[in-house]
Amino acid sequence: MSTIEQTAPTSNNFLRTIIDDDLKSGRHKTVVTRFPPEPNGYLHIGHAKSICINFGLARDFGGRCHLRFDDTNPAKEEQEYIDSIKESVRWLGFDWGENLYYASDYFEQLYQWAEYLIRERKAYVEDLNADEMRAHRGTLTEAGKESPHRNRSVEENLDLFRRMKAGEFPDGARVLRARIDMAAPNMNLRDPVLYRIIHATHPHVGDAWKIYPMYDFAHGQSDAIEGITHSICTLEFEDHKPLYEWFLENLPVPSKPRQYEFARLNLTYTVMSKRKLQELVQLGIVSGWDDPRMPTLMGIKRRGYTAVAVRAFCDMIGVGRSDSWIDMSILEECVRADLNETAPRAMAVLRPLKLVIDNWPTGQVEEITALNHPQKPEMGTRMVHFSREIWIDGDDFIENPPKGFHRLTVGGEVKLRFGYIVKCTGVVKDEEGRILELHGEYDPASREGIHTADGRKVKGVIHWVSDAHAVNAEVRLFDRLFSDPNPDRGGADYKQYLNPLSVETLTECKLEAGLADSDIETRYQFERLGYFRQDPKDSVAGKPVFNRVVTLRDVWTKK
Ligand code: ATP
Ligand code: MG
């Protein structure tokens, strides 16, 4: 499953070689790329690959990268998506500067070029409906049939096209087609549709237009208008390249960009089609496009992934031309690698179980200095409080432990991280036999090490939080949204592979005191539990909500 595309690092991918050659040969003086999202959904981790490639090439070759909204279909596009896309690109750490464009800003020019093609007898108004057109189109082995409207006069075409523009006809009544070749082996050249009628309000140009250019008619010409030198897209556009070039050859465009394709990112345990992501939102399977389990950039940002980690991931997977799958664990490992370096450590108890230390004087508090990062003294220290009543994690106590259990059990001993060794002396239960609290005794000689006063070594070290100083918090344990590596595989409904345990919400958690007023941006390693960060939407002062960003270790690969 996990064929890792750990090919060339960005320093020498094939696109770099092409650009290098173009600059050396003088074909181009500077490199101009673009990232061209359609604002019909939120960006996802796949888009991050494209963003890193396009903005990264411009950065490294001293050129520029445009952000262009490919907004040719008002039926699906919304301002909310435009805003979220800008936020996502910025979050990833890229800046388009003054180069923010909309394909819809070129609608007038594109319209003029459509009329130009009509006058050149290279475009015509088609009255056949979509089904009839499909029937005429032929197959890969059979030529298509020419439309009865293909040889309309220039005047009639211009008249009909202008009336389409004026809004005289309902949606779908007519289209404008290029007049290329109904027998072309490449189906994209069999008189492709250039314009369709859509009566809808457009998020950027409002109600100005009743006809909208198809993606293919807008994309290359937009590149040409902006002086894009290298138009980099994913492999599924390879078949469209002859059409891209046909427009550039047959229109008086101001420049001649070139299209290059690379393999899109496929990631296991998730879906990336915007239609499916939209469906997850609409059906309420997730809380929104920015649900921390979503592969959207707004989702992983909210979850607490860092832009540094996402960029490192995009670097690591490289840029190639062959389709491959990247295992989710690679992305998670990039997040861990970043947070292991930068996240201060803290203690948090997620499923609290009280431990009363009977030989510790009531009311006495010891302040203990704890390192924020075991390998990085420069990250400083903090104070943790030791007192008579502390919380430990329910998972760290078992009454009848299996062999090899080194945490707490009745009569057993364990080291409290930064604190003392305690011995569990008893369990208090309610009438139904549920454990209410534990009792224990500490060993005063054991503060600094893992040896008891009489020299025995304790095997287990557990985390804990002083009850009197604890901050109450909600913690959300996120896991992968799907439990199958390829929920998107053909035919089956991807929703049947949803992971029923993709989130567990724990509302009784106890955090060490210092986390009461922690900065929302700080990711912590909760010792032994994973990396966590406050949820930027739901966390409030006095009632923090923490998201688990990623576990400490990969728990999936072994499964
Ligand atoms: P849809 O999911 O509707 O097919 P899309 O993901 O192609 O849409 P666009 O807004 O057209 O969405 O994508 C913008 C750019 O991002 C395009 O250049 C596209 O090639 C690129 N892109 C999209 N998905 C991926 C991916 N998985 N890996 C790399 N690049 C991608
Ligand atoms: Mg697309």
Side-chain angles (χ1 to χ4, degrees):
M1 186 76 249
S2 51
T3 13
I4 304 161
E5 195 193 7
Q6 266 178 347
T7 48
T10 38
S11 53
N12 61 348
N13 69 52
F14 76 100
L15 293 169
R16 280 171 193 266
T17 311
I18 290 168
I19 292 173
D20 231 5
D21 291 348
D22 286 347
L23 293 174
K24 279 195 193 120
S25 72
R27 186 186 153 89
H28 295 294
K29 288 197 177 50
T30 180
V31 52
V32 187
T33 57
R34 85 286 170 269
F35 173 64
E38 180 178 0
N40 62 350
Y42 281 52
L43 298 183
H44 52 62
I45 183 76
H47 293 115
K49 177 172 181 178
S50 178
I51 294 168
C52 288
I53 292 172
N54 280 295
F55 280 92
L57 288 170
R59 175 197 59 208
D60 296 346
F61 286 97
R64 62 179 201 270
C65 180
H66 298 182
L67 174 61
R68 182 201 315 142
F69 288 102
D70 242 316
D71 52 350
T72 52
N73 184 3
K76 289 188 175 166
E77 296 161 6
E78 286 174 32
Q79 186 62 39
E80 178 194 346
Y81 300 142
I82 296 177
D83 296 339
S84 77
I85 288 169
K86 288 187 193 164
E87 195 181 337
S88 298
V89 176
R90 269 197 220 104
W91 173 70
L92 258 190
F94 296 105
D95 183 5
W96 54 88
E98 54 199 21
N99 299 298
L100 174 66
Y101 303 101
Y102 295 81
S104 56
D105 285 338
Y106 312 136
F107 280 176
E108 182 57 35
Q109 174 67 80
L110 292 170
Y111 175 80
Q112 295 304 331
W113 279 337
E115 285 207 355
Y116 176 91
L117 287 181
I118 292 174
R119 280 191 214 94
E120 298 276 303
R121 295 196 58 78
K122 290 175 182 163
Y124 61 97
V125 173
E126 173 67 278
D127 298 353
L128 296 183
N129 64 33
D131 287 339
E132 292 163 332
M133 277 173 59
R134 208 168 299 125
H136 274 70
R137 209 166 167 234
T139 63
L140 284 174
T141 50
E142 243 175 87
K145 261 202 327 237
E146 294 192 351
S147 162
H149 310 291
R150 199 170 194 265
N151 295 316
R152 274 181 161 142
S153 68
V154 169
E155 290 66 35
E156 191 185 357
N157 275 317
L158 280 179
D159 173 60
L160 284 171
F161 189 46
R162 286 171 186 168
R163 285 165 61 197
M164 282 168 63
K165 177 176 186 255
E168 277 189 35
F169 308 119
D171 286 9
R174 294 192 156 84
V175 292
L176 184 75
R177 297 178 77 171
R179 194 163 174 274
I180 306 179
D181 180 3
M182 285 307 289
N186 184 325
M187 303 286 280
N188 291 301
L189 296 177
R190 293 189 186 175
D191 292 11
V193 174
L194 307 184
Y195 268 89
R196 60 226 201 275
I197 302 169
I198 302 176
H199 293 263
T201 303
H202 186 281
H204 188 60
V205 292
D207 295 310
W209 293 86
K210 309 293 176 218
I211 53 171
Y212 286 89
M214 297 299 288
Y215 169 88
D216 280 326
F217 191 66
H219 196 83
Q221 290 90 300
S222 302
D223 286 343
I225 291 169
E226 291 175 19
I228 301 297
T229 54
H230 300 80
S231 180
I232 299 162
C233 59
T234 35
L235 281 171
E236 70 270 22
F237 293 101
E238 201 171 11
D239 282 352
H240 294 243
K241 190 170 179 168
L243 183 56
Y244 181 99
E245 290 177 344
W246 189 89
F247 291 129
L248 299 182
E249 287 307 316
N250 287 279
L251 289 169
V253 289
S255 78
K256 293 270 165 74
R258 277 219 189 160
Q259 176 181 305
Y260 300 93
E261 308 88 20
F262 68 94
R264 65 195 295 120
L265 168 64
N266 298 307
L267 194 62
T268 59
Y269 294 97
T270 193
V271 293
M272 280 199 272
S273 126
K274 282 192 239 173
R275 187 183 62 73
K276 288 177 184 144
L277 295 176
Q278 178 128 46
E279 190 174 55
L280 292 171
V281 174
Q282 272 164 359
L283 295 177
I285 293 170
V286 295
S287 64
W289 284 96
D290 66 349
D291 186 296
R293 294 164 294 173
M294 289 280 269
T296 54
L297 296 180
M298 288 295 102
I300 63 182
K301 167 179 184 247
R302 179 170 171 193
R303 176 155 171 176
Y305 280 27
T306 59
V308 170
V310 176
R311 290 199 304 265
F313 169 72
C314 291
D315 261 4
M316 183 185 278
I317 61 177
V319 184
R321 276 188 52 90
S322 55
D323 263 317
S324 65
W325 281 82
I326 304 292
D327 198 88
M328 180 65 96
S329 60
I330 307 287
L331 174 60
E332 292 166 345
E333 199 49 43
C334 288
V335 177
R336 266 182 215 116
D338 180 30
L339 297 187
N340 183 40
E341 292 294 309
T342 57
R345 275 47 173 169
M347 291 198 288
V349 171
L350 303 189
R351 300 168 213 274
L353 172 60
K354 188 171 275 182
L355 169 61
V356 181
I357 301 167
D358 294 315
N359 62 342
W360 186 276
T362 307
Q364 181 174 311
V365 176
E366 183 173 339
E367 293 189 334
I368 301 173
T369 303
L371 272 179
N372 285 337
H373 194 296
Q375 284 89 43
K376 298 192 169 198
E378 68 275 16
M379 283 177 70
T381 60
R382 67 193 191 277
M383 198 70 85
V384 295
H385 306 86
F386 194 85
S387 64
R388 180 180 163 90
E389 300 196 359
I390 65 171
W391 296 104
I392 67 165
D393 243 306
D395 298 346
D396 284 332
F397 175 81
I398 299 186
E399 254 188 310
N400 302 304
K403 215 166 166 271
F405 183 79
H406 295 309
R407 288 162 286 160
L408 207 54
T409 180
V410 182
E413 287 168 311
V414 78
K415 167 82 173 178
L416 297 170
R417 175 89 164 133
F418 303 118
Y420 296 87
I421 290 173
V422 284
K423 175 179 200 160
C424 178
T425 52
V427 183
V428 180
K429 294 184 183 172
D430 67 9
E431 282 140 26
E432 268 123 61
R434 279 181 304 231
I435 298 177
L436 295 178
E437 61 181 32
L438 306 177
H439 282 258
E441 287 179 0
Y442 84 108
D443 179 339
S446 61
R447 244 281 274 130
E448 299 296 338
I450 51 167
H451 291 89
T452 58
D454 54 14
R456 279 173 301 107
K457 193 172 164 194
V458 171
K459 286 216 176 106
V461 181
I462 64 171
H463 57 273
W464 54 278
V465 170
S466 163
D467 175 41
H469 307 88
V471 179
N472 294 315
E474 177 176 319
V475 173
R476 299 171 182 168
L477 300 179
F478 294 111
D479 202 346
R480 296 179 182 173
L481 190 51
F482 293 90
S483 45
D484 187 278
N486 186 5
D488 228 352
R489 75 173 77 115
D493 177 8
Y494 71 99
K495 294 193 289 300
Q496 67 182 292
Y497 301 115
L498 281 161
N499 175 6
L501 304 176
S502 61
V503 60
E504 183 180 5
T505 303
L506 302 168
T507 54
E508 310 280 311
C509 307
K510 307 284 181 185
L511 315 181
E512 65 173 69
L515 294 176
D517 49 4
S518 59
D519 172 47
I520 196 117
E521 282 305 321
T522 306
R523 283 91 171 144
Y524 292 92
Q525 185 193 98
F526 289 173
E527 296 214 22
R528 301 175 61 225
L529 298 174
Y531 295 96
F532 292 79
R533 194 200 51 161
Q534 283 184 68
D535 186 90
K537 263 196 176 165
D538 296 339
S539 201
V540 288
K543 187 81 187 75
V545 176
F546 274 84
N547 294 335
R548 182 168 70 195
V549 184
V550 67
T551 51
L552 281 184
R553 273 171 290 277
D554 180 10
V555 290
W556 279 83
T557 307
K558 290 178 258 43
K559 281 189 183 178

